[in-house]
Amino acid sequence: MKRFVFFVSGMAFILMGAVFASCSSTQFKSSKKKIEMQGNPTTGYTWDYTIEDESIIRLEQKTKYLGSRNMSGAPSLFTYTIISLKPGTTTITFEYKRPWEDKPAEDTTIYTVTVDERGKITL
């Protein structure tokens, strides 16, 4: 705790307050983390996802075709970039399915995502 003395019209006032060093502050800075999953979109299967609390994170998706010459059934790599928006914990549920079929997903993967006060993402 530091004390500051200042004078106004010949009278001394003491102001007491804490001075924080810049290294002790924790400012939120958005960060990113990637998840990669394989699939076969040429056969109609894709990864569909839901985020429990969309105020904590958002996702960006990119798909890279891994086959040659648009061969049906060739795999693709789905890359999801998680971007932190605010501190908290949420879940992302991925379901591997054909969107038009009314049956359970072929595969389900659930991630618990925690964003700390600085914006760092932990899976």
Side-chain angles (χ1 to χ4, degrees):
M1 181 85 69
K2 291 198 176 196
R3 295 181 186 180
F4 300 95
V5 179
F6 60 97
F7 295 91
V8 176
S9 298
M11 298 178 68
F13 291 91
I14 298 176
L15 175 66
M16 293 176 33
V19 176
F20 298 99
S22 62
C23 64
S24 68
S25 66
T26 57
Q27 287 188 327
F28 186 87
K29 183 178 179 185
S30 185
S31 65
K32 297 179 179 182
K33 186 162 267 214
K34 290 186 179 185
I35 297 172
E36 293 182 335
M37 307 172 90
Q38 287 203 357
N40 276 326
T42 60
T43 60
Y45 285 93
T46 61
W47 286 100
D48 187 27
Y49 67 86
T50 55
I51 302 171
E52 182 183 50
D53 186 343
E54 294 180 344
S55 70
I56 296 172
I57 59 168
R58 71 179 171 90
L59 290 184
E60 291 179 352
Q61 176 185 346
K62 290 185 181 178
T63 305
K64 180 180 179 183
Y65 179 69
L66 301 176
S68 60
R69 301 185 189 237
N70 296 324
M71 183 171 52
S72 183
S76 291
L77 184 65
F78 294 81
T79 302
Y80 297 91
T81 303
I82 303 169
I83 302 164
S84 61
L85 301 175
K86 74 174 191 180
T89 300
T90 189
T91 59
I92 308 170
T93 303
F94 289 93
E95 293 184 316
Y96 187 63
K97 62 182 182 178
R98 289 179 170 145
W100 66 87
E101 291 183 342
D102 189 26
K103 65 180 195 177
E106 294 287 322
D107 190 8
T108 301
T109 303
I110 300 172
Y111 289 94
T112 300
V113 181
T114 301
V115 178
D116 71 14
E117 294 173 353
R118 295 169 294 157
K120 182 181 174 188
I121 299 168
T122 305
L123 297 177

